[in-house]
Each structure stands twice: as C-alpha cells, then as structure tokens.
C-alpha cells in the first residue's frame, strides 16, 4: 500500500478526531476536588467541540490545551497507528490512541487520570480486542491479554500503594497491558521499560533546565500517564 496516501488519510482522521478530544480535555482537566468543566467558565456556554485555537466559540476565552497542540499530537498518533496496523486489533489500537491523547493531556495539565476516561478506554479495548480475536479465530490470545493486563495493573498498583504513582495509573496499566498482551509478553515488558526511561529522561531534562535557570525545586512531580502511553506506543512500533 502506498505510504503517502496512508499518511495523508491518517493525518486527516487525526484532525477530525481532535475537536471532540479537545472538548474532553477541557471537560476533565480540572484540579482534584473541583467539578468537571461542563461549560466555559467565562461565558457559561456548553462546549463539546473546540477549534484548533483552543478558544471558546462564544467568548474566545482559552479552554483546555494550547493552540494546535492536540491536533499535532492526534495526527502523529494517527500516523503511528496506521503504521502499526497489521490486523483487526488495529481498531483497539486506534481507540487507545484517541483516548490516550485525551488522558495524556489531562494528566500533563492537572496530574490526574479521570476514572471515567480510564473506564471508557478499558471497556473499548476489551470489546475491540475480543472482536479482533474472534475475527482471526484466535480466542486463546485473550487469555494472554488478560494475564498481561492483570500483571501490569498489579505492578502499577503496588507503586500506587507506596505513593510512587497516582491512583489513575494502575487502571491505565490494565488497558495498556491488555493491548500490549496481544503482541506478547516481551512487547509489554518493552512498553514498561520505555515508559520508565522516557519519564526518567524527561525528569532529568526538566531538573537540568531548572538548575540552569537557577530556579529552586524540591523534587519533580512527574505525570506518569503520558509516558505509559508513549511507552506502549513505542513498544508496538518497535516490535
């Protein structure tokens, strides 16, 4: 299949998906303990879709992520999913990519992974992987997906209990573990290793930047969700 048309189609799909994802990000990107942002806080207009500017269509106030950021990330994820697509499980990968963009932006902004988004991701991955396994006549692969999901979720839950991760990271691990389990145990291990390396690299670079600018810091609160998502995508692409 020609590469250029596939890339162009993937980018277009990503751009079409971006407006509702912006709406989800604006809705859920609120600090812990505050109500979800169901309407523009400046004019009260209910917003479900947002333009690439990230501004309310009514009052032009800033909502959610910065201009062009969601579109760029969504298009890049869509291209990566198209590149990795090699079977019916691509639908599950695409679902994880779309909701992963929303989860990653929310976690990056307010350091939380809302359970409603996590539940939607988990349910979608479970249904789509089941459909893919039945379509390929490989129902046995679902057992491996389940075992990998439980293993990854349990490992992250241990980190949650000792205070190293937030409460939303282990449910995210269930979804990503199940998805990576389709490709095998080594891909799942690679996803976790990639997430740790990427998170450590980001924290190191941020700390170095603060030191160079001579700004005080007492440790770094790293949003782990984006790196779990990026590590999973990296492992799928590198398999």
């Amino acid at each position: 299949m020609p590469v250029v048309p596939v890339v162009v189609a993937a980018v277009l799909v990503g751009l079409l998906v971006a407006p509702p994802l912006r709406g989800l990000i604006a809705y859920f990107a609120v600090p812990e303990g505050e109500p979800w942002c169901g309407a523009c806080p400046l004019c009260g207009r209910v917003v479900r879709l947002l333009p690439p500017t990230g501004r309310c269509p009514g009052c032009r106030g800033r909502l959610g992520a910065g201009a062009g950021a969601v579109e760029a990330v969504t298009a890049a994820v869509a291209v990566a999913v198209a590149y990795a697509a090699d079977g019916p499980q691509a639908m599950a990968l695409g679902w994880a990519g779309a909701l992963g963009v929303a989860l990653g932006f929310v976690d990056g902004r307010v350091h939380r992974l809302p359970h409603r988004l996590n539940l939607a991701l988990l349910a979608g991955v479970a249904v789509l992987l089941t459909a893919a396994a039945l379509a390929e006549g490989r129902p046995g692969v679902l057992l491996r997906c389940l075992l990998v999901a439980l293993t990854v979720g349990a490992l992250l839950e241990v980190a949650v209990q000792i205070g190293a991760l937030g409460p939303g990271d282990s449910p995210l691990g269930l979804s990503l573990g199940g998805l990576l389990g389709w490709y095998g145990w080594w891909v799942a291990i690679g996803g976790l290793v990639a997430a740790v390396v990427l998170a450590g690299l980001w924290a190191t670079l941020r700390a170095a930047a603060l030191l160079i600018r001579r700004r005080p810091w007492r440790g770094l609160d790293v949003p782990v969700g984006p790196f779990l998502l990026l590590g999973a995508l990296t492992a799928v692409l590198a398999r």
Side-chain angles (χ1 to χ4, degrees), residues 120-147:
L121 174 60
L122 180 60
V125 167
V127 170
L128 292 171
L129 284 183
T130 300
L134 295 178
E136 284 200 341
R138 300 171 57 200
V141 74
L142 295 175
L143 177 59
R144 185 176 66 203
C145 291
L146 177 61
L147 291 175

Side-chain angles (χ1 to χ4, degrees), residues 17 20-21 24-25 28 73-74 77 81 91-107 113-125 128 172 175-176 225-226 229:
V17 172
L21 290 182
L24 285 177
I25 293 165
F28 286 108
V73 173
T74 306
V77 170
V81 169
M91 293 295 293
L93 188 60
W95 177 257
L99 283 187
V101 170
L103 282 163
F105 271 95
V106 171
D107 197 18
L113 293 166
H115 290 300
R116 285 170 60 180
L117 282 180
N118 262 333
L119 182 60
L121 174 60
L122 180 60
V125 167
L128 292 171
L172 178 60
S175 300
L176 297 181
L229 291 159

Side-chain angles (χ1 to χ4, degrees), residues 39-66:
C40 175
L42 297 178
C43 68
R45 176 170 178 164
V46 177
V47 178
R48 293 290 180 264
L49 304 174
L50 282 172
T53 59
R55 295 188 177 277
C56 171
C59 67
R60 308 297 297 169
R62 174 74 68 186
L63 289 174

